[in-house]
Amino acid sequence: MLVTNKEIMSVAMAKEYAVGAFNIHNLETLQAIVEATTEEKSPVIVAVTPSTIKYAGLEYLTAMIKVVAKAIPQPMSLHLDHGKDVETAEKCINAGFTSVMIDASHLSFEENIAVTKNVVDLAHPKGLSVEAELGKLAGIEESTVEEKDAVLTDPNAAKEFVERTGVDALAVAIGTSHGAYKFKKKPKLDFERLKTIRDSVDVLLVLHGASSVPSWIVEKATKYGAELSGAKGIPEEHIKKAISLGISKINIDTDLRLAFTGAVREILATSPKKYDPRKILGPAKESMKKVVKGKMRLFGSSGKAA
Ligand code: G3H
Ligand code: 13P
Ligand code: ZN
């Protein structure tokens, strides 16, 4: 049965671990997540973005995930990631999602509040939980205090935002960013800011842009022709620290994409006679599964749905 992010995250928060929200792109990504969830006995959040809905179709996606959720005993949520407007959120609410994110972080503070509140008013009566975002995801490396204040989540604004919108979860900007190129110099996150937000705001906290861009994946993909120079992610110790400071949902997309690409490249390069898609996508699924299992162990969610 599908449950909400709020349910999954509240338990994680109380028990001081975090739950991975893994972005799916196709059947194989979902299979990798489900197999990892079963083997690790972990709760899990399946995340779907508007671009994935465009690519795969809302009906196909929801049907696949509902079949899976019925078949496994572990708590699973179906979550809209980076919902871009009220219409998209509404479609997902009606399609059977159990959680929606409305990302109006590019709008002004007041507009972000208005749009987010609109989604909360649609989602809460139907029992879904809502995530919103405040601040802009961006690397901070050598930024001055003023520069950081301009992009990262302001703790006072976060308090007001949560009180006025009634959101269940808030994505915070503390120096992470999406994709494989998160830092030009040394990885740096603003943990002080995270601590202040945690202490002053009564809401579940989410870390986006949390892929670590592991060297084993980058090296494999590069060995078989990928161009990834300068790729850099969030060190695993930073992830552990963020969890200890109150993050209870961690979003991972890039590491799955890299694992998929590395495995496909390897198979195509080393087995030129293979042309059965299942022989090409099977190893890609295994590689993504290895990533998801590793994240569940790192986040401390392994064994929590035993
Ligand atoms: O933040 C979410 C993803 O990493 C970007 O997703 O390419 O599916 O829009 P997308
Ligand atoms: P990564 O690009 O670091 O995997 O972040 C994914 C994400 O935040 C999805 O919402
Ligand atoms: Zn994100």
Side-chain angles (χ1 to χ4, degrees):
M1 223 191 53
L2 288 169
V3 297
T4 64
N5 278 10
K6 187 180 178 181
E7 257 176 81
I8 288 181
M9 290 170 71
S10 303
V11 177
M13 181 66 203
K15 298 197 172 156
E16 295 174 13
Y17 65 91
V19 177
F22 301 99
N23 288 82
I24 65 161
H25 315 104
N26 53 16
L27 172 69
E28 284 72 16
T29 336
L30 180 63
Q31 288 175 319
I33 294 167
V34 171
E35 287 174 23
T37 300
T38 309
E39 288 174 27
E40 291 299 318
K41 298 187 174 25
S42 168
V44 73
I45 296 168
V46 176
V48 171
T49 63
S51 350
T52 294
I53 292 174
K54 193 168 168 216
Y55 174 76
L58 189 58
E59 285 80 12
Y60 280 99
L61 290 164
T62 46
M64 273 195 323
I65 295 158
K66 283 179 190 172
V67 166
V68 159
K70 269 195 211 143
I72 62 166
Q74 290 77 26
M76 173 182 274
S77 164
L78 170 52
H79 173 72
L80 169 66
D81 187 29
H82 293 284
K84 55 182 189 321
D85 47 39
V86 178
E87 292 68 35
T88 310
E90 199 167 12
K91 274 190 193 148
C92 292
I93 292 169
N94 294 330
F97 281 50
T98 49
S99 178
V100 286
M101 174 187 189
I102 174 71
D103 180 0
S105 58
H106 54 287
L107 300 177
S108 70
F109 183 63
E110 287 300 327
E111 286 170 319
N112 191 351
I113 287 182
V115 175
T116 302
K117 177 90 179 64
N118 205 332
V119 173
V120 169
D121 290 343
L122 289 170
H124 277 179
K126 295 201 167 177
L128 284 82
S129 52
V130 179
E131 174 182 331
E133 180 167 323
L134 194 60
K136 290 185 183 60
L137 291 205
I140 45 173
E141 293 160 322
E142 310 297 315
S143 309
T144 64
V145 175
E146 298 83 64
E147 281 163 350
K148 279 204 241 172
D149 280 341
V151 288
L152 302 189
T153 307
D154 175 277
N156 294 322
K159 190 171 177 352
E160 183 181 343
F161 184 87
V162 168
E163 284 169 1
R164 287 177 59 193
T165 58
V167 282
D168 307 285
L170 186 70
V172 290
I174 58 163
T176 63
S177 60
H178 291 117
Y181 304 89
K182 300 186 191 296
F183 305 99
K184 288 198 180 68
K185 294 176 188 156
K186 238 171 93 123
K188 187 175 177 189
L189 300 186
D190 192 340
F191 289 116
E192 271 311 305
R193 183 176 300 263
L194 175 58
K195 201 167 175 311
T196 312
I197 296 170
R198 177 66 294 154
D199 291 344
S200 53
V201 186
D202 185 17
V203 74
L204 295 159
L205 297 178
V206 182
L207 191 66
H208 281 245
S211 279
S212 291
V213 189
S215 50
W216 69 270
I217 304 179
V218 172
E219 278 160 20
K220 182 162 146 176
T222 306
K223 181 173 170 193
Y224 295 106
E227 169 47 58
L228 289 164
S229 48
K232 204 178 281 179
I234 314 290
E236 295 196 341
E237 309 76 64
H238 284 34
I239 296 292
K240 281 194 189 156
K241 182 151 189 197
I243 298 169
S244 76
L245 293 173
I247 291 285
S248 53
K249 169 175 174 273
I250 300 189
N251 287 20
I252 302 292
D253 187 354
T254 297
D255 284 352
L256 297 179
R257 296 182 186 201
L258 289 170
F260 179 95
T261 302
V264 168
R265 281 188 175 276
E266 181 181 24
I267 274 289
L268 293 178
T270 56
S271 310
K273 292 196 173 153
K274 284 192 178 150
Y275 57 84
D276 179 341
R278 295 164 297 187
K279 300 277 186 310
I280 297 164
L281 297 180
K285 183 186 83 179
E286 288 306 316
S287 189
M288 292 189 287
K289 177 174 159 185
K290 183 174 165 187
V291 169
V292 177
K293 284 173 71 108
K295 299 292 177 193
M296 288 172 165
R297 289 177 194 171
L298 176 69
F299 302 164
S301 70
S302 287
K304 296 298 193 299

